[in-house]
Amino acid sequence: MDDLKSHIREIPDFPKPGILFYDITTLLQNPLALRMTVDRFVWLFAQRRIQKVVGIESRGFMFGPIVAYDLNAGFVPVRKPGKLPAEKVRETYELEYGNDTLEMHRDAIQPGEHVLIVDDVVATGGTASATARMVESLGGVVAGFGFIIELTFLDARKKLAGYEVASLIQY
Ligand code: AMP
């Protein structure tokens, strides 16, 4: 998918020194690249009877609802702490330095629902696996993960072993 890759903007030292940030806004602003991205996820998961697409804050919100709409599924946001107003589940996971927490509404997933989890970039897989634990704690079935970009050298697939993982662009 090198044609999609050409729409990713690479920004060195953002948000801090040493990080090469992969910016998907340049992909989203291109009509054909946006359509190809959404269509690719829909094609990959159309047979999986997806009932909810779970998007991870904040860039999972930028295309997750379009994928959900096209799969005839609902959309569920996973957010940073303190943003969601109703009863929540939360999951804390380790980062390179320190840890982070994510929250999801308790009534967002019904037991047995088939769930697709989406985000812009998968790096270590920590964010994605924490999200899967929340979905599963509510009785949801994680049918797969969809990432626009996968940083393969960080080996997220090891952390997400046993799940179907789809990425459109690899570095
Ligand atoms: P991880 O939990 O290590 O897989 O990190 C994934 C989360 O961090 C995702 O929500 C990404 O949006 C973000 N992220 C990690 N690395 C990058 C990167 N190089 N460029 C843009 N976003 C990134």
Side-chain angles (χ1 to χ4, degrees), residues 130-169:
T131 301
R133 287 197 295 278
M134 276 192 289
V135 168
E136 288 166 352
S137 77
L138 296 173
V141 178
V142 177
F145 294 90
F147 305 107
I148 298 179
I149 296 168
E150 177 180 4
L151 306 183
T152 55
F153 53 93
L154 292 172
D155 222 5
R157 281 174 196 265
K158 209 181 211 169
K159 207 168 259 169
L160 304 177
Y163 294 105
E164 183 168 336
V165 179
S167 64
L168 308 187
I169 299 166

Side-chain angles (χ1 to χ4, degrees), residues 19 129 131:
I19 306 274
S129 61
T131 301

Side-chain angles (χ1 to χ4, degrees), residues 63-136:
F63 65 97
I66 320 175
V67 174
Y69 178 85
D70 228 351
L71 285 172
N72 279 316
F75 178 77
V76 173
V78 161
R79 300 213 61 182
K80 309 250 166 74
K83 304 279 191 187
L84 291 171
E87 208 186 321
K88 294 160 282 196
V89 286
R90 57 162 45 201
E91 199 49 61
T92 297
Y93 58 101
E94 278 178 35
L95 301 173
E96 198 177 345
Y97 306 102
N99 50 54
D100 226 334
T101 300
L102 291 171
E103 294 182 339
M104 183 164 66
H105 274 147
R106 195 172 273 284
D107 64 1
I109 305 287
Q110 305 308 312
E113 276 189 327
H114 287 206
V115 175
L116 169 64
I117 297 171
V118 300
D119 203 358
D120 61 336
V121 176
V122 64
T124 65
T127 309
S129 61
T131 301
R133 287 197 295 278
M134 276 192 289
V135 168
E136 288 166 352

Side-chain angles (χ1 to χ4, degrees), residues 32-47:
L32 193 58
L34 174 61
R35 182 174 295 278
M36 281 182 65
T37 299
V38 172
D39 285 354
R40 191 89 185 111
F41 287 127
V42 172
W43 168 261
L44 288 167
F45 290 99
Q47 307 302 321

